[in-house]
Structures are given as C-alpha cells and as structure tokens.
Amino acid sequence: MRSVITVIKEQIKSFYLARRLSVYELKSANRNHYLGILWEIINPMIQISIYWFVFGFGIHGGSRADVDLSGDSIKYFPWMLSGIVAWFFVNQSITQGSKSIYSRIKMISKMSFPMSVIPTYVIFAKLYQHLMLLGVVLVIFQFLGYPINIHYLQLPYFIVATVIFLISLSLITSTLTTIVRDFQMLITSTVRILIYLSPILWPPYNIHPAIIQTIMKLNPIYYLVEGYRASILGLSWYPVDHWEYTLYFWGIVIVLLFFGSILHVKFRDRFVDFL
C-alpha cells in the first residue's frame, strides 16, 4: 500500500511538470514534418478509411451494412468510427508507454525526476492527439446524422477512465520492458491482436455461444470502447446502465495500479543496471 501512496503522490506533485513534458514530447515528435501536428489527425483518418473499406465494404456489404443493437439498427461506419477513435489512443499509449522508461533512462537518471511520471507524460502527449482526433470525429458525426446529444456528458468520464487505466497498465509494462527487453515485442504483438478481440472492427453482440462475448468483456478495453460508442451515438448512460461492468472495470484498474506501483517502486532504483 505504501508503494501505491508513493506513486500517487508523485503523480500529483509532478502533474505540472508532466504536462509541460508532454507538450514538448508532442512538438518534438512532429518538428521535422511540414504538416507538423496535422499528421496526428491525417494518419488515423487514413487507417480509418482502410478499415472502413476492408470491413465495411469487403466484409459487411458496404452501404447495406447494419449493426443490430438490441433491436436498433446503426450503419457500420458510424458504429466503427465511434469506437475506433478510442482505440487509437489506447493502442499508441500502450506501445509507447511500455518503452517510455528504458528509452529515456539515460537522460532521466541524471536528473532529480520521479520515474513513475515518465509513462504519465508520454500518455498525456497521446491524450492531446486523442482530443484533436476526437474533435474532428465529433464534427464528422454532425454530418452523419448524429448531432450533439446529452450523452456527450459521459465523454469526460471515459477519457479520464482511459487515462487512469493506461497509466496503471504502463507502470507494469514499462517496468517489465526495462528489465526484460523482449517484453516490448510481446506488448507489440498483443496490441495487434487486441484490435480484433475488442468490439472495434466487428460487432460481437450476436456471437454464439454467449459465453464468448462474456469472455471478451473481461478485456477492460471493451468497456472503454463501448462507453465511447454509447456517448457519441447517444445510445445510453453506459456507466449507470452497466453498473456491474463499471465496478469490474475499476476493480481491474485498482489491481493494475496496486501491482504496478509495487513492481515499479521495487525495481526503479536498479533500472540503470538493466541498460
């Protein structure tokens, strides 16, 4: 418990520093590009177009594609778009967060800087990208027939929930990757698989047997993606309507934070030895 308190205090105390470093991280990643930060929107939109063509037209039948949600029918493209916007944030944060410490350890080791904040500011940098993409996507939805609705009030909750989940997970992955470099390869491979095991590109609602859908819900990313979808499409008050799932999600986050804090605090004084 002491490790958890230590990590949380470091996050709060260094919040302003993490925010400044995240801005620098975002600018430095795009400083050599003519279009600069616009690529953080262009790249995801290109990928979305490819996924729409492959899954929307190639698999689901183009404009005839509908997703059934408890009797309601939604076109495939808005259904896919409302979920994949969360996935880009999760995907990049997991992969970059897992290698955040060992890729910066030489610089940070010479400074008085809490190492638990390194994954945090990397995730914050991805958060800025996410907010820009989310803004563009919400504008697109105004033209798709899904105007601003009261369920948008859920979006800040799901954004914060996603950030806390990613920071908790990155405490584990960044520590293990620093100790065993091969773990980064496992993370990369797992993330590639997760996009197909989460309700992002194909609707899992009518899977048989039903136990498979229940197993898929063990993945906390499922909760986040469906929460974004319920908010943007105006489907439901997801955290309340699925309160059991909400409790499960936060239970997972607490376990990740507890285990990640212990692991990080135990090994961080020896991170330089693993270089």
Side-chain angles (χ1 to χ4, degrees), residues 177-250:
T177 300
T178 303
I179 299 172
V180 181
R181 209 70 86 241
D182 290 9
F183 193 75
Q184 177 65 36
M185 300 301 295
L186 177 62
I187 291 292
T188 303
S189 299
T190 302
V191 169
R192 289 173 181 169
I193 296 172
L194 278 176
I195 190 172
Y196 301 105
L197 297 181
S198 305
I200 299 169
L201 300 176
W202 56 278
Y205 312 116
N206 297 318
I207 291 180
H208 298 289
I211 187 64
I212 296 179
Q213 184 178 346
T214 302
I215 293 174
M216 289 181 64
K217 287 185 176 181
L218 296 177
N219 174 10
I221 297 175
Y222 190 111
Y223 175 82
L224 297 172
V225 170
E226 286 296 277
Y228 267 78
R229 189 166 281 141
S231 303
I232 296 174
L233 297 178
L235 299 176
S236 66
W237 296 104
Y238 198 82
V240 177
D241 293 344
H242 300 81
W243 63 269
E244 302 99 329
Y245 199 12
T246 299
L247 292 177
Y248 167 78
F249 171 80
W250 286 109

Side-chain angles (χ1 to χ4, degrees), residues 1-12 257 261:
M1 191 64 183
R2 184 179 302 174
S3 299
V4 178
I5 295 174
T6 298
V7 169
I8 292 177
K9 284 184 177 178
E10 290 175 349
Q11 302 296 318
I12 296 174
L257 178 61
S261 298

Side-chain angles (χ1 to χ4, degrees), residues 115 264-273:
M115 291 191 180
H264 176 84
V265 172
K266 180 178 180 180
F267 287 99
R268 65 180 177 183
D269 291 336
R270 299 164 49 195
F271 279 161
V272 178
D273 299 335

Side-chain angles (χ1 to χ4, degrees), residues 123-227:
I123 291 171
F124 277 4
K126 299 304 176 184
L127 174 62
Y128 299 144
Q129 301 172 15
H130 172 63
L131 293 177
M132 290 187 291
L133 179 61
L134 181 61
V136 172
V137 167
L138 292 180
V139 171
I140 293 175
F141 269 100
Q142 308 311 304
F143 297 96
L144 292 178
Y146 295 91
I148 296 174
N149 63 82
I150 194 171
H151 295 93
Y152 275 26
L153 294 175
Q154 296 177 116
L155 276 175
Y157 161 77
F158 282 107
I159 292 172
V160 171
T162 305
V163 170
I164 296 175
F165 165 72
L166 291 170
I167 292 174
S168 302
L169 179 62
S170 293
L171 285 172
I172 300 175
T173 58
S174 61
T175 300
L176 293 177
T177 300
T178 303
I179 299 172
V180 181
R181 209 70 86 241
D182 290 9
F183 193 75
Q184 177 65 36
M185 300 301 295
L186 177 62
I187 291 292
T188 303
S189 299
T190 302
V191 169
R192 289 173 181 169
I193 296 172
L194 278 176
I195 190 172
Y196 301 105
L197 297 181
S198 305
I200 299 169
L201 300 176
W202 56 278
Y205 312 116
N206 297 318
I207 291 180
H208 298 289
I211 187 64
I212 296 179
Q213 184 178 346
T214 302
I215 293 174
M216 289 181 64
K217 287 185 176 181
L218 296 177
N219 174 10
I221 297 175
Y222 190 111
Y223 175 82
L224 297 172
V225 170
E226 286 296 277

